[in-house]
RNA sequence: GCCGGUAUGUCGGAAUUGGCAGACGAGACAGACUCAAAAUCUGUUAUCCGCAAGGGUGUGUGGGUUCAAGUCCCACUACCGGCACCA
């Protein structure tokens, strides 16, 4: 029979679903294994060829684990709240719920056509009230533990989405999603205190198996730094505290800089003589968007506060105070001591404003020409009791002194900011809070959850920065759950990251109505054993969900401190021209067309064979044919099968391949695993026949990669009972992976001059004797002095001559 | 500027972590089958010199360690990703 994927694939997909063989068992004595992929956002474009790269990879792992006897959970769901759906709904006057429903149906049929072994009985959807009930519940727990709070603050405002963005969503000063300008806007916002977990989010990276680049990126983003706070005073008698990582350079401070928004300015408004100039600078700084602020990063600007000076606590020297936007309000204390001799930014500023530069760390070039910032080699000078100390010792000593005299203290700072959690849009989880004129912000009682999203007439974002929900007065006006007075509901919704911050927990027990999941289910299934996803989520989803998980751990809801035991990341699939796939570049490949033309098995094989899983790889419509040929060659073996066991001449090849394929899957080397299967099939075809046992082992090895054709081979040739997807992974014998006779290279002075077939267990003397016995080697060493003879067992011989 | 990554034939990529560079696939070329084409099968395919046997050169660049370097060390370059006035 001819290989016809259109005949084979839908049949097996249906049989698997009917038999339910990919359903995770709820009560099982088997060891569990939880594989997870980032659940997709069901966009209107349908599945992208990038999705199956991740899904197929973990499908291979999940399928292999099942064959190895594990109870596997490989779930799927929909991260369906979010802006693109809402924008589409606005434009086409349909309810976002309907848009979501349609998109989900499309995604589902596309995913099912790929034969991914998801447990569809556990499908979840973040927009389902029975799901977001628990998203809201978690928010209320955060609120009750003072980790959710409302704050008036300058936020990132996307001018196009008309919506607040988290810091993580602003990329190069523009909106991550739409690319529009982001400006600062003062608004009252719900915030989540992720900073309370900053230290643990770094420290607990030691507990998990993540790629180093992911750990490094998270650590960078959290940005822990150690230093000291130093209390300066001013000539007006006010306190002015700075944060510095270089307290050792305190004697070299020649001026101070505070951010334009620093509260001290208002306090000293009557003392400052050039207040007009100061105000003008403040306004100019406020007008700048994030984009402009980073654009003009090179040139320093600022204004000196005339009429007030600061006093250095260690030497009582009076130094001027400036305002400048190179000092940020939101980091440290919003004020710095400037040490131009040992900080390049301070140096730039000092040069521009003609301020003194005093060297306090010796070891570099002339500090008048360039700042010396090295902490490793310098020695302190001009610093009284610190003179002669190394930078490190001086830091310790000055911090001790400051602490003793009450003028400072050791301090740790983080770049990480609290998470801006409000969105002024419709298609998200309503924040379950009621604002009461008497009681303030009050939690909606848990018994009233889910607080369902009301139907509104218009989803249009408003120009005044309020959520579309604000227009629903019937819904907004309510009673205070605490005192019963007239009160108003919170109208902001949660960001898209909310639902995805805990979804992996819901999969453990997706239909539970009394808890986000039962304790037993969580104890059995968590943590996730292997989580694969994109690098782009390292500082967003991955960090947010670790934070929520740690909080849930602290309040006793989940049994583990970390959600994911192991994380891996796949590279992007690029267009054929090596550029990122996008509509505008016209290089988008539609997975449906590939499945239709070549079949799901070929698609899966190709996506795994395309290159190193962790690196980006360009699509190539030519080499996909190689994978199709391979699938056909696999199937064609069924027509030449004869009875029998593994033939002796193929025994070594089989054992080696079992070993190689098994090991490669564990380390994400799907490309070389497939190459090994291709080599094995070439060996088989060289013998012009295949035996039943050979075909059986081969089919099992093939099944995680190309499950449909494997099932067809299994059933056509009656290789075993039931499904190959429920067979047993073959074992290999280490002793049979080595050949009896091997080829070794013979080098003279490091250059290969001869190849010899020798017994695998040959010893050094015998090997070298064999080499010298060869005519070619004998003639090359004749008359020369042998300096050294090296024998690398089963690899090579190197004879060094002179 | 800082942090991370990558660099290998015509192309995608292999190389057991110091031991025969180019597995596997694609493409190209040649041959078989065919009236012909497609498909399939069989060869060849890093590069230079040579009719050949054989020899030289070759893993971004320049040095180094070693009997032996794609792999280790030092100094660079280019590209990709992240962060960026974080004191």
């Amino acid at each position: 029979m001819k290989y016809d994927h259109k005949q084979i694939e839908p049949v097996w997909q249906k049989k698997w679903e009917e038999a339910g063989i990919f359903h995770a068992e709820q009560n099982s004595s088997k060891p569990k294994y939880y594989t997870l992929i980032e659940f997709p956002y069901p966009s209107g474009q349908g599945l992208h060829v990038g999705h199956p790269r991740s899904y197929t990879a973990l499908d291979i792992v999940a399928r292999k684990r099942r064959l190895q006897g594990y109870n596997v959970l490989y779930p799927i769901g929909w991260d369906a709240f979010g802006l693109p759906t809402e924008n589409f709904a606005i434009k086409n006057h349909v309810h976002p719920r309907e848009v979501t429903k349609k998109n989900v149906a499309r995604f589902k049929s596309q995913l099912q056509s790929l034969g991914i072994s998801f447990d569809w009985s556990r499908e979840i959807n973040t927009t389902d009230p029975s799901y977001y009930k628990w998203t809201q519940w978690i928010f209320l727990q955060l609120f009750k533990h003072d980790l959710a709070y409302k704050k008036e603050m300058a936020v990132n405002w996307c001018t196009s989405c008309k919506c607040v963005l988290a810091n993580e969503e602003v990329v190069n000063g523009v909106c991550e999603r739409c690319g529009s300008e982001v400006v600062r806007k003062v608004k009252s916002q719900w915030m989540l205190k992720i900073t309370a977990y900053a230290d643990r989010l770094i420290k607990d990276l030691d507990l998990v198996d993540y790629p180093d680049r992911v750990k490094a990126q998270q650590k960078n983003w959290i940005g822990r730094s150690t230093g000291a706070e130093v209390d300066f005073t001013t000539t007006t008698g006010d306190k002015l505290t700075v944060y510095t990582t270089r307290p050792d350079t305190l004697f070299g401070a020649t001026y101070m800089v505070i951010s334009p928004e620093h509260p001290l300015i208002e306090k000293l408004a009557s003392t400052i003589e050039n207040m007009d100039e100061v105000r003008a600078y403040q306004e100019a700084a406020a007008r700048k968007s994030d984009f402009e602020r980073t654009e003009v990063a090179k040139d320093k600007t600022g204004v000196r506060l005339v009429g007030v000076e600061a006093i250095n606590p260690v030497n009582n020297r009076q130094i001027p105070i400036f305002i400048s936007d190179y000092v940020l309000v939101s980091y440290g204390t919003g004020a710095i001591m400037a040490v131009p001799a040992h900080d390049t930014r301070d140096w730039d500023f000092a040069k521009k404003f003609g301020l003194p530069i005093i060297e306090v760390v010796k070891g570099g070039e002339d500090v008048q020409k360039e700042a010396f910032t090295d902490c490793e080699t310098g020695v302190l000078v001009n610093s009284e009791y610190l003179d002669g100390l190394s930078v490190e010792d001086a830091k310790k000593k000055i911090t001790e002194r400051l602490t003793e005299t009450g003028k400072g203290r050791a301090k740790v700072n983080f770049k990480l900011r609290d998470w801006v959690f409000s969105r002024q849009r419709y298609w998200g989880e309503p924040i379950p809070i009621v604002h009461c004129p008497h009681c303030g912000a009050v939690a909606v009682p848990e018994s009233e959850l889910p607080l369902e999203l009301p139907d509104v007439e218009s989803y249009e974002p408003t120009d005044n920065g309020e959520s579309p929900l604000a227009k629903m007065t019937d819904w907004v006006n309510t009673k205070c759950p605490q005192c019963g007075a007239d009160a108003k509901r919170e109208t902001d919704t949660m960001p898209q990251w909310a639902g995805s911050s805990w979804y992996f927990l819901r999969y453990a027990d997706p239909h539970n109505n009394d808890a986000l999941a039962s304790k037993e289910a969580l104890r059995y299934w968590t943590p996730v054993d292997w989580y694969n996803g994109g690098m782009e989520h390292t500082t967003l989803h991955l960090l947010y969900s670790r934070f929520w998980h740690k909080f849930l751990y602290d309040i006793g809801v989940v049994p583990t401190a970390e959600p994911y035991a192991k994380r891996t990341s796949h590279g992007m699939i690029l267009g054929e021209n090596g550029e990122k796939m996008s509509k505008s570049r016209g290089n988008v490949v539609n997975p449906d067309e590939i499945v239709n033309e070549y079949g799901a098995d070929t698609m899966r094989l190709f996506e795994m064979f395309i290159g190193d899983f962790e690196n980006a790889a360009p699509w190539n419509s030519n080499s996909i044919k190689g994978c199709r040929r391979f699938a056909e060659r696999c199937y064609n073996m069924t027509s030449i099968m004869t009875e029998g066991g593994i033939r002796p001449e193929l025994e070594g090849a089989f054992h080696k391949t079992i070993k190689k394929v098994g090991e490669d899957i564990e380390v994400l080397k799907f490309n070389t695993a497939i190459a090994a299967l291709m080599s094995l099939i070439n060996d088989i075809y060289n013998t012009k026949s295949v035996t039943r046992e050979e075909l059986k082992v081969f089919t099992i090895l093939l099944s995680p990669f190309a499950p449909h054709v494997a099932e067809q081979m299994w059933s056509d040739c009656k290789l075993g009972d039931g499904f190959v997807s429920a067979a047993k992974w073959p074992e290999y014998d280490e002793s049979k992976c080595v050949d009896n006779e091997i080829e070794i290279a013979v080098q003279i002075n490091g250059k290969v001059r001869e190849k010899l077939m020798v017994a695998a267990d040959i010893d050094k003397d015998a090997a070298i004797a064999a080499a010298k016995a060869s005519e070619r080697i004998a003639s090359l060493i004749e008359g020369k002095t042998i300096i050294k003879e090296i024998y690398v067992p089963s690899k090579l011989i190197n004879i060094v001559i002179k």
Side-chain angles (χ1 to χ4, degrees):
Chain A
M1 219 170 68
K2 208 174 160 291
Y3 173 69
D4 180 359
H5 64 270
K6 287 185 186 170
Q7 281 287 318
I8 293 174
E9 292 177 351
V11 171
W12 289 106
Q13 285 158 12
K14 197 162 161 244
K15 286 190 182 174
W16 291 328
E17 194 52 41
E18 282 166 3
I21 58 168
F22 302 135
H23 292 189
E25 298 166 37
Q26 196 65 279
N27 295 301
S28 172
S29 54
K30 289 183 193 170
K32 69 98 182 179
Y33 203 86
Y34 187 174
T35 46
L36 183 69
I37 44 92
E38 287 167 349
F39 64 161
Y41 177 71
S43 73
Q45 277 98 49
L47 208 67
H48 181 271
V49 288
H51 289 112
R53 195 179 198 193
S54 173
Y55 305 167
T56 306
L58 282 210
D59 191 42
I60 290 165
V61 174
R63 284 174 179 274
K64 184 188 168 205
R65 286 288 180 279
R66 286 193 202 95
L67 298 177
Q68 288 174 313
Y70 287 85
N71 181 25
V72 172
L73 174 56
Y74 189 31
I76 180 73
W78 315 104
D79 186 16
F81 274 130
L83 270 183
T85 299
E86 185 173 344
N87 289 339
F88 182 90
I90 290 167
K91 211 167 146 194
N92 297 282
H93 307 286
V94 260
H95 197 288
R97 202 183 294 129
E98 297 306 315
V99 179
T100 299
K101 213 170 145 188
K102 230 173 115 189
N103 290 349
V104 163
R106 167 114 191 266
F107 263 71
K108 189 168 177 174
S109 81
Q110 287 184 302
L111 284 179
Q112 287 180 325
S113 79
L114 286 168
I116 314 271
S117 65
F118 289 131
D119 179 352
W120 287 98
S121 72
R122 292 173 186 246
E123 180 182 350
I124 60 169
N125 185 324
T126 56
T127 66
D128 190 336
S130 69
Y131 180 90
Y132 68 68
K133 171 181 178 175
W134 298 105
T135 312
Q136 292 173 329
W137 182 84
I138 296 170
F139 177 85
L140 289 183
Q141 308 315 305
L142 287 159
F143 178 67
K144 285 172 191 166
H145 287 82
D146 291 323
L147 292 168
Y149 61 98
K150 204 162 192 189
K151 192 185 169 192
E152 183 88 12
M153 63 173 299
V155 292
N156 309 300
W157 178 262
C158 173
T159 47
S160 162
C161 300
K162 293 178 182 165
C163 185
V164 159
L165 302 177
N167 294 320
E168 289 80 358
E169 291 173 300
V170 183
V171 177
N172 291 328
V174 302
C175 174
E176 178 213 33
R177 192 169 292 285
C178 70
S180 304
E181 192 190 24
V182 172
V183 296
R184 305 220 138 250
K185 191 163 180 168
V186 174
K187 276 190 67 70
S188 180
Q189 296 298 311
W190 281 99
M191 308 285 293
L192 296 188
K193 212 180 268 176
I194 190 171
T195 52
Y197 283 78
D199 250 326
R200 283 167 64 192
L201 286 168
I202 293 176
K203 204 157 36 114
D204 287 358
L205 286 172
D206 291 341
L207 305 177
V208 292
D209 177 12
Y210 289 8
D212 288 341
R213 57 187 173 146
V214 171
K215 288 189 182 183
Q217 212 166 299
Q218 288 213 346
K219 281 182 194 166
N220 253 331
W221 184 261
I222 297 167
R224 186 180 200 271
S225 77
T226 54
E229 280 184 350
V230 183
D231 299 331
F232 281 64
T233 47
T234 64
T235 48
T236 55
D238 292 286
K239 192 160 119 180
L240 181 52
T241 303
V242 301
Y243 172 71
T244 177
T245 56
R246 293 294 303 274
D248 55 299
T249 62
L250 187 48
F251 287 91
T254 55
Y255 61 95
M256 298 193 70
V257 188
I258 64 178
S259 72
E261 300 90 346
H262 199 283
L264 189 70
I265 301 166
E266 284 317 308
K267 202 174 170 204
L268 300 181
S270 56
T271 320
I272 297 169
E273 290 164 23
N274 58 338
M275 206 53 202
D276 291 349
E277 209 186 336
V278 170
R279 289 247 187 268
Y281 188 84
Q282 282 179 313
E283 276 164 35
R287 264 201 313 276
K288 283 185 190 173
S289 68
D290 272 14
F291 186 68
E292 287 169 308
R293 242 174 127 138
T294 48
E295 266 304 81
V296 296
K298 312 284 168 274
D299 200 24
K300 299 274 181 294
T301 58
V303 174
R304 180 172 175 173
L305 304 184
V306 179
V308 58
E309 299 220 309
I311 300 162
N312 189 330
V314 288
N315 56 13
N316 291 322
R317 192 178 294 154
Q318 278 196 21
I319 54 176
I321 305 172
F322 287 80
I323 61 170
S324 172
D325 62 6
Y326 85 88
V327 174
L328 311 172
V329 240
S330 46
Y331 185 77
T333 62
I336 61 156
M337 64 176 202
V339 185
H342 305 293
D343 181 286
T344 41
R345 292 152 307 178
D346 297 346
W347 192 91
D348 291 344
F349 191 88
K351 277 287 166 190
K352 182 157 178 189
F353 287 85
L355 295 156
I357 298 169
I358 301 174
E359 181 180 57
V360 288
V361 182
K362 213 168 182 61
E365 301 294 311
D366 182 0
V367 294
Q368 303 304 325
K369 296 209 177 83
E370 191 188 9
F372 175 60
T373 56
D374 186 5
C375 298
E376 305 286 312
T377 59
V379 175
L380 274 283
V381 292
N382 299 328
S383 299
E384 300 179 13
Y385 48 85
L386 299 179
D387 286 354
L389 294 179
S390 70
V391 168
E392 205 188 318
D393 290 342
K395 278 183 186 172
K396 270 187 213 138
K397 186 156 184 182
I398 187 82
T399 308
E400 277 165 26
R401 278 284 186 113
L402 288 166
T403 310
E404 281 162 19
T405 54
K407 288 172 181 169
R409 62 215 68 87
K411 171 83 183 170
V412 172
N413 257 321
F414 297 93
K415 287 190 208 174
L416 185 71
R417 315 281 168 77
D418 277 343
W419 174 7
V420 180
F421 199 68
S422 304
R423 296 294 182 276
Q424 293 69 41
R425 298 294 300 236
Y426 174 73
W427 195 229
E429 302 88 344
I431 293 176
I433 291 287
V434 170
H435 296 285
C436 169
H438 313 295
C439 313
V442 179
V444 168
E446 285 175 22
S447 59
E448 289 178 24
L449 297 183
L451 173 60
E452 289 204 31
L453 194 53
D455 284 333
V456 298
E457 275 163 34
S458 160
Y459 319 110
E460 294 274 356
T462 59
D463 288 319
N464 63 5
E466 275 194 338
S467 157
L469 292 181
K471 288 178 286 190
M472 295 293 298
T473 45
D474 289 356
W475 184 80
V476 171
N477 292 324
T478 186
K479 301 287 181 201
C480 171
Q482 213 157 281
C483 72
D486 284 345
K488 286 186 188 303
R489 289 191 189 280
E490 172 64 53
T491 59
D492 283 355
T493 53
M494 299 188 198
Q496 206 193 337
W497 311 108
S500 60
S501 290
W502 71 280
Y503 74 111
F504 52 93
L505 299 172
R506 189 65 176 169
Y507 284 138
D509 190 10
H511 310 298
N512 194 321
N513 225 353
D514 306 316
L516 56 83
S518 77
K519 288 248 194 274
E520 302 75 61
L522 291 172
R523 212 174 303 125
Y524 180 71
W525 286 114
T526 66
V528 172
D529 292 288
W530 190 335
Y531 189 22
N532 186 73
M535 278 306 283
E536 70 274 19
H537 289 126
T538 302
T539 54
L540 289 156
H541 160 66
L542 198 60
L543 199 61
Y544 292 153
S545 59
R546 288 183 63 222
F547 160 47
W548 276 33
H549 193 84
K550 287 189 173 304
F551 166 69
L552 293 173
Y553 175 67
D554 288 349
I555 63 169
V557 173
V558 297
T560 62
E562 281 288 333
Y564 320 115
K566 172 177 178 160
R567 165 83 178 184
T568 54
S569 270
H570 56 273
M572 245 192 299
I573 292 196
L574 306 171
E576 202 136 4
N577 54 2
E579 289 174 25
K580 200 172 161 173
M581 266 191 205
S582 73
K583 253 192 204 158
S584 58
R585 291 191 181 92
N587 59 356
V588 175
V589 176
N590 181 350
D592 291 345
E593 285 168 21
I594 305 296
V595 170
N596 186 46
E597 190 177 349
Y598 296 100
D601 283 334
T602 300
M603 169 85 176
R604 294 167 57 108
L605 284 165
F606 178 62
E607 291 228 356
M608 294 298 101
F609 189 63
I610 194 167
D612 185 339
F613 183 69
E614 296 184 90
N615 288 335
W619 188 264
N620 185 318
S621 41
N622 260 332
S623 43
I624 196 165
K625 289 180 193 149
C627 291
R628 167 71 191 203
R629 277 180 206 144
F630 172 64
E632 285 173 14
R633 279 161 71 82
C634 289
Y635 185 67
N636 290 343
M637 283 194 293
T638 57
S639 59
I640 56 166
M641 187 191 81
T642 57
E643 295 301 324
I646 294 177
R647 288 164 289 171
E649 65 267 33
L650 287 176
E651 202 170 35
F654 265 91
H655 283 269
K656 279 187 225 169
T657 308
I658 294 168
K659 181 176 188 212
K660 173 100 182 126
V661 171
E663 288 175 354
D664 281 357
I665 289 172
E666 300 303 321
V667 291
L668 299 162
K669 294 197 164 253
F670 307 107
N671 52 342
T672 51
I674 293 170
L677 288 171
M678 288 171 167
S679 290
L680 181 60
I681 207 172
N682 288 345
D683 289 346
I684 292 171
Y685 270 108
N686 280 338
T687 71
K688 307 261 193 291
S689 69
V690 64
T691 66
R692 173 177 295 278
E693 185 61 21
E694 287 164 1
L695 193 58
K696 180 178 175 181
V697 172
F698 184 90
T699 304
I700 299 172
L701 293 179
L702 176 70
S703 68
F705 300 90
H708 310 87
V709 71
E711 291 288 6
Q712 194 64 43
M713 291 159 71
W714 189 260
S715 126
D716 281 4
C717 293
K718 303 192 172 52
L719 297 171
D721 295 332
F723 296 95
V724 66
S725 300
K728 190 171 168 292
W729 189 254
E731 283 176 17
Y732 64 90
D733 183 342
E734 189 69 58
S735 68
K736 288 184 175 151
C737 294
V738 285
D739 300 319
N740 298 330
E741 267 226 318
I742 47 165
E743 191 188 60
I744 61 167
V746 184
Q747 300 180 331
I748 301 292
N749 289 349
K751 293 212 186 298
V752 180
R753 296 301 180 203
E754 181 67 300
K755 291 183 179 183
L756 291 178
M757 291 303 294
V758 296
D761 54 359
I762 194 168
D763 65 15
K764 179 177 177 177
D765 292 343
I768 289 169
K772 287 177 180 167
S774 108
E775 254 179 64
R776 198 160 142 61
I777 296 300
S779 69
L780 281 164
I781 58 178
E782 201 187 339
K784 302 282 168 65
T785 325
I786 294 174
I787 297 169
K788 209 170 185 178
E789 291 170 335
I790 292 131
Y791 172 59
V792 182
S794 70
K795 295 263 194 282
L796 57 70
I797 291 164
N798 189 10
I799 301 172
V800 186
I801 58 170
K802 208 174 174 180

